[in-house]
Amino acid sequence: MLVAAAICPPTSLIVHRLHDLHTSCRVAIDALHGARPDVLIVVGGAKATIAYGGGTAGTLRPWGLDVTEGSGEPLLPLSLTVARTLLDGHVPDTLQSVAFDAAKAECQAIGEKIGKMAERVALLVMADGSACLTPKAPGRYDEAAQPYNDLIATAISEADPAALAALDPSEADRLWVAGRAAFQVLAGAAGAAKYRGRLLASAAPFGVGYFAGLWTT
């Protein structure tokens, strides 16, 4: 059963520039460890859906940072590599990437499987909001982006898996919501259980919606 979930942004900027968000992510991750989980799972968006062992390496060198986590050949996508840096040496049991375009049903199934991995499951979700929030954002500015981003922020703060499960993949794709699939894995893992939600931080310094949040039982 999922007993705690932390939400953090899957951007290399969290490592060296977004200090307030980094601090909020540390608070959320410390709470994951404090929940005394039997297993710690990380999920993040990527080009393909792949389950990696907890010790798999990742590097931020393609993003201009001489940071590598793990040993061996770096295989992890950006989202899971950033997660490993935030875990500060703690090795998760599984690192799960989920394809950005994964269907709702696939995300739900992955989440349900994660939720059944142990009696006490902690989940670190690397997911962000829309990248169309301002004229200088990576995606083309869209006035629908802010309401969509606000919907995600509210779902995090209210620990509302149904709201995350209901996110429309087509609209998310149009609004460059790269975290949609990972959010829907969280919804699948949470199921019908009740959680307390906290939105620890919400910012869009580069026109991309970044969140730090926490769900606990």
Side-chain angles (χ1 to χ4, degrees):
M1 174 185 172
L2 183 71
V3 295
I7 298 98
C8 294
T11 172
S12 61
L13 297 172
I14 201 74
V15 178
H16 68 117
R17 291 186 63 179
L18 303 177
H19 302 298
D20 289 344
L21 266 172
H22 187 278
T23 298
S24 296
C25 287
R26 289 299 322 153
V27 171
I29 290 170
D30 286 347
L32 287 189
H33 298 312
R36 305 186 310 280
D38 299 318
V39 296
L40 171 60
I41 312 298
V42 180
V43 63
K47 292 181 179 179
T49 298
I50 302 173
Y52 300 91
T56 306
T59 184
L60 296 179
R61 287 176 184 154
W63 292 271
L65 296 174
D66 189 16
V67 175
T68 299
E69 296 287 337
S71 58
E73 180 185 358
L75 299 174
L76 297 178
L78 174 63
S79 61
L80 300 182
T81 301
V82 173
R84 291 216 58 179
T85 68
L86 291 173
L87 286 170
D88 195 26
H90 291 275
V91 179
D93 292 275
T94 301
L95 294 146
Q96 176 71 59
S97 70
V98 57
F100 294 124
D101 62 354
K104 284 186 182 184
E106 180 183 356
C107 298
Q108 178 79 18
I110 293 170
E112 289 176 354
K113 182 178 178 180
I114 289 172
K116 296 175 181 177
M117 283 185 170
E119 287 188 14
R120 299 183 64 82
V121 176
L123 181 61
L124 173 54
V125 182
M126 305 300 294
D128 50 13
S130 176
C132 299
L133 292 169
T134 69
K136 293 185 178 180
R140 183 176 180 179
Y141 172 72
D142 193 312
E143 63 182 11
Q146 189 62 59
Y148 201 97
N149 210 64
D150 291 344
L151 186 156
I152 295 172
T154 299
I156 294 171
S157 67
E158 296 181 355
D160 185 352
L164 296 180
L167 294 175
D168 180 74
S170 297
E171 188 175 12
D173 183 61
R174 180 173 67 84
L175 297 175
W176 285 40
V177 183
R180 187 275 307 172
F183 280 129
Q184 292 188 320
V185 171
L186 168 58
K194 300 295 182 182
Y195 299 89
R196 295 185 297 274
R198 292 175 61 195
L199 182 63
L200 300 169
S202 178
F206 306 104
V208 183
Y210 296 139
F211 313 104
L214 176 65
W215 290 9
T216 54
T217 52

